[in-house]
Amino acid sequence: MDGTQDFYFDVLRQVRMKRWSKGRVVLTGDAAWCATPLAGIGTTLAVTGAYVLASELHRNRDLTAALDAYDAAMRPMVEDGQSVPKIAPRMMHPRSRLGIHLLHGALGVASKPPIRNLAAKLFAGETKAPDLSGYPENVSQGDKAYSFSSRQLVP
Ligand SMILES: Cc1cc2nc3c(=O)[nH]c(=O)nc-3n(C[C@H](O)[C@H](O)[C@H](O)COP(=O)(O)OP(=O)(O)OC[C@H]3O[C@@H](n4cnc5c(N)ncnc54)[C@H](O)[C@@H]3O)c2cc1C
């Protein structure tokens, strides 16, 4: 911190809104529901939100219906992604050397493939991600065509 002239520091805050659109204005990604880096799912939410929004606009002639459907499809996944345990910020930012050693040790163990796979099996709950199977699989934009599967977006 002492060695740089452009150190940026701010608090982590989640964005929670009852609705992500008003009239013809609609938000997605961090602007709509920033879950903070602690959630570890912000990129997934942003890409999924953009895809769901585009798909609902594509298949609904009525704008309000499209934005309602987008809200309903994304809400469960967003709320699930935002449910960071209250203790997480304190755990991830220890204030003593011992705390830092313990955190790094625990993360080292947790990132070993067998432990990681076991934890994934034990803690993986039911996905709250929207069902993308009803959206178009191929969309062309200009001279580019994109294919979508339920899990990924492939140019
Ligand atoms: C330190 C850190 C670590 C993270 N780690 C993870 C992680 O491990 N996994 C994960 O899934 N997510 C992680 N995230 C969260 C993830 O980066 C965000 O959730 C994701 O980038 C949100 O995408 P977005 O497109 O909504 O917003 P952004 O990626 O913020 O994109 C918004 C863009 O709009 C531009 N912009 C802003 N204002 C204007 C304007 N007026 N005109 C034109 N352009 C403008 C910005 O420059 C920016 O490029 C992390 C975030 C941070 C900060």
Side-chain angles (χ1 to χ4, degrees), residues 12 28-47:
L12 292 180
T28 197
D30 274 9
W33 51 61
C34 179
T36 77
L38 289 169
I41 196 175
T43 308
T44 307
L45 287 174
V47 174

Side-chain angles (χ1 to χ4, degrees), residues 32-97:
W33 51 61
C34 179
T36 77
L38 289 169
I41 196 175
T43 308
T44 307
L45 287 174
V47 174
T48 308
Y51 176 48
V52 170
L53 177 59
S55 301
E56 292 297 348
L57 289 170
H58 182 258
R59 77 173 176 186
N60 282 284
R61 280 176 163 260
D62 179 60
L63 178 65
T64 310
L67 299 182
D68 285 349
Y70 157 70
D71 209 299
M74 288 305 298
R75 191 67 59 179
M77 186 185 188
V78 167
E79 287 180 356
D80 192 45
Q82 288 184 325
S83 60
V84 180
K86 284 217 162 68
I87 195 166
R90 181 154 285 244
M91 275 173 57
M92 295 310 287
H93 299 96
R95 295 174 184 204
S96 65
R97 279 186 188 279

Side-chain angles (χ1 to χ4, degrees), residues 2 18 102 117 121:
D2 290 340
K18 288 195 176 126
L102 288 174
N117 295 342
K121 278 190 191 136

Side-chain angles (χ1 to χ4, degrees), residues 79-151:
E79 287 180 356
D80 192 45
Q82 288 184 325
S83 60
V84 180
K86 284 217 162 68
I87 195 166
R90 181 154 285 244
M91 275 173 57
M92 295 310 287
H93 299 96
R95 295 174 184 204
S96 65
R97 279 186 188 279
L98 175 64
I100 293 170
H101 281 306
L102 288 174
L103 175 69
H104 287 179
L107 289 178
V109 173
S111 63
K112 299 262 183 283
I115 306 283
R116 207 173 53 205
N117 295 342
L118 181 68
K121 278 190 191 136
L122 287 176
F123 300 115
E126 212 173 288
T127 176
K128 301 273 174 61
D131 177 12
L132 304 182
S133 60
Y135 295 138
E137 287 194 357
N138 295 295
V139 176
S140 56
Q141 174 72 48
D143 59 349
K144 288 188 182 145
Y146 294 87
S147 297
F148 300 100
S149 76
S150 59
R151 282 273 161 217

